[in-house]
Amino acid sequence: MATMEYRKLPHGDERISVIGLGMGYIHEGSEEEIEKTLRLARSSGINFFDMAAAEVKPYSCYSRVFEGQREQVYLQMHFGAVYDSGKYGWSRDPEEIRRNFEDLLKTMGTDYTDFGFVHCIDETDDFHQIMEGGIWDYMKHLKQDGIIRHLGVSTHNPEILRRFLDTGKIDLAMFSINPAYDYSTGTYGIGAADERGRLYQECEKNGVGISVMKPFGGGQLLDAKTSPFQTALTKTQCIQYALDRPAVMTVLPGVRNSEDLRQVLEYLDADEEERDYSVIGRFTPASAEGVCVYCNHCQPCPKGLDVGMINKYYDLALAGDEMAKGHYEKLSVKAGACIQCGHCERRCPFHVKQEKRMQEIAAYFGA
């Protein structure tokens, strides 16, 4: 198996595995199978783990597997996910949240969480309840005491995420990203394609990373019968799509067992053709026509331009990311080297006028 890739958290020293692990279905297995899955994750280089389970059963398994490894793993704990009945519940009561968080720390044998997330805020009323009801103040206090290392939020709503960005307090956000949702299809396809694209750019501009939930759209994208594109995508294509979005640190697929995880880990050995998700270009709405999604289906460029990366840095610079220019300047081949041969435009499934874009980008950056 190929080596795991890691991405550095912008506001921190943490290097996070591009594939992490969600907990959505892992409770379905026996404790033995859960531990087997976690050991496979660790041996494969996965170091980032979401801590929102469907029931309490998996937590003791995680604790046993992570014993002696606490400093090598990053845990994302949710303030608002509660388990008083042993099953997942949802609460905005500060005392209930405090009690469940302290119980989870005890179960996991730790005195801190790497990431403390406000859990699943999708409505404006929810946002105000968090901000005005004492929960946000409680979490900020824990952050000051080092019990939370980084603050964050999980949401499906772009506007809610923007409100948390405006606080200037979060370092990571858990957001649903996949081709269906980004093109306003499916239960959580909130926001138009251009709005969601700008949101990812704003996160990168503000140094806020994204951990991706629902990369397979709850499995719908993997089956032609349920996919809104009426064709099945592979797990590898969905993972690559998410990792190509600005600000994304890690993708957190939910797995049931070690076999599910092995299928996810096939991404590490996949070649460029297997990672190519440009098929979605046949199904994107008219509003997304002519917009580069950095898929690099246009490769190879005869002059060696990394067309997708050049476009990404340009878009980030236009969004106000001051670091984007420096990243662009480090590219070995810049937009000005484009010879206008038309190769990329003939191959682009999104019909981007890349020749014109390269001229614009060269003029903007001066090279």
Side-chain angles (χ1 to χ4, degrees):
M1 183 183 299
T3 304
M4 180 64 70
E5 177 188 344
Y6 299 87
R7 295 182 174 181
K8 181 182 175 297
L9 187 72
H11 294 161
D13 296 325
E14 294 87 349
R15 297 185 62 81
I16 296 172
S17 55
V18 295
I19 297 177
L21 199 64
M23 294 184 79
Y25 306 101
I26 202 166
H27 66 281
E28 295 180 3
S30 65
E31 291 193 5
E32 180 182 8
E33 181 60 32
I34 292 172
E35 293 184 25
K36 179 181 177 182
T37 303
L38 293 174
R39 285 192 293 271
L40 173 60
R42 291 295 296 126
S43 66
S44 303
I46 292 175
N47 66 1
F48 193 93
F49 298 86
D50 186 56
M51 292 280 108
E55 57 184 63
V56 298
K57 170 184 170 183
Y59 291 122
S60 58
C61 301
Y62 278 62
S63 178
R64 288 192 291 270
V65 172
F66 294 163
E67 186 175 1
Q69 303 182 43
R70 182 64 187 91
E71 297 299 321
Q72 286 78 52
V73 296
Y74 302 120
L75 306 182
Q76 178 176 277
M77 296 184 181
H78 294 247
F79 289 67
V82 297
Y83 300 88
D84 289 341
S85 67
K87 301 289 187 180
Y88 166 78
W90 179 90
S91 176
R92 292 291 178 251
D93 178 73
E95 178 56 28
E96 188 175 14
I97 289 172
R98 181 196 62 77
R99 185 174 64 252
N100 274 266
F101 174 62
E102 292 177 355
D103 286 347
L104 181 54
L105 289 181
K106 185 175 181 180
T107 299
M108 294 299 299
T110 184
D111 57 3
Y112 72 96
T113 182
D114 302 278
F115 298 90
F117 272 43
V118 181
H119 180 63
C120 200
I121 305 295
D122 286 340
E123 304 292 338
T124 301
D125 288 347
D126 242 1
F127 176 81
H128 289 304
Q129 191 174 1
I130 290 293
M131 291 298 173
E132 300 164 10
I135 297 171
W136 186 239
D137 287 338
Y138 167 58
M139 294 178 67
K140 288 192 295 182
H141 178 73
L142 293 177
K143 172 72 161 51
Q144 291 172 354
D145 291 345
I147 298 171
I148 293 176
R149 300 289 171 85
H150 299 277
L151 289 168
V153 60
S154 67
T155 181
H156 304 93
N157 189 325
E159 179 55 34
I160 294 296
L161 179 47
R162 283 195 173 91
R163 288 175 179 243
F164 276 95
L165 287 176
D166 287 343
T167 69
K169 299 293 185 182
I170 66 170
D171 295 330
L172 192 67
M174 191 180 192
F175 195 71
S176 51
I177 297 179
N178 63 55
Y181 296 168
D182 277 357
Y183 295 115
S184 307
T185 302
T187 306
Y188 299 111
I190 303 171
D194 57 348
E195 177 189 5
R196 291 173 69 94
R198 286 195 301 271
L199 176 66
Y200 308 148
Q201 294 169 5
E202 289 167 19
C203 285
E204 183 142 330
K205 171 188 173 183
N206 287 281
V208 174
I210 297 175
S211 59
V212 175
M213 59 179 160
K214 300 180 175 64
F216 311 140
Q220 291 184 335
L221 287 169
L222 308 177
D223 188 334
K225 295 178 180 178
T226 57
S227 170
F229 302 129
Q230 298 181 331
T231 189
L233 297 176
T234 67
K235 292 180 178 180
T236 289
Q237 287 173 313
C238 292
I239 291 170
Q240 188 64 56
Y241 176 87
L243 288 174
D244 280 347
R245 300 314 97 203
V248 168
M249 297 283 105
T250 184
V251 177
L252 305 174
V255 300
R256 296 166 299 178
N257 49 45
S258 56
E259 180 54 36
D260 278 359
L261 180 55
R262 285 191 183 91
Q263 293 176 18
V264 169
L265 290 169
E266 289 176 1
Y267 168 82
L268 298 176
D269 291 312
D271 59 26
E272 289 185 6
E273 183 176 354
E274 292 169 315
R275 296 184 183 198
D276 180 9
Y277 52 82
S278 60
V279 63
I280 68 173
R282 302 205 305 263
F283 312 103
T284 52
S287 61
E289 280 284 298
V291 178
C292 181
V293 300
Y294 326 124
C295 70
N296 271 328
H297 190 67
C298 54
Q299 294 296 329
C301 169
K303 296 298 291 183
L305 278 74
D306 187 336
V307 177
M309 195 62 71
I310 288 171
N311 273 273
K312 181 180 285 191
Y313 290 152
Y314 179 51
D315 289 339
L316 289 169
L318 292 179
D321 185 345
E322 295 179 359
M323 298 180 65
K325 185 175 189 296
H327 293 319
Y328 176 83
E329 289 174 347
K330 293 178 182 177
L331 293 173
S332 58
V333 185
K334 299 177 177 61
C338 175
I339 58 173
Q340 307 285 299
C341 69
H343 172 81
C344 53
E345 293 192 5
R346 288 191 295 271
R347 289 181 54 84
C348 181
F350 301 91
H351 307 112
V352 180
K353 301 301 182 184
Q354 292 288 9
E355 292 184 359
K356 182 179 179 182
R357 286 276 289 184
M358 291 302 110
Q359 291 176 333
E360 291 177 4
I361 293 170
Y364 181 86
F365 288 117

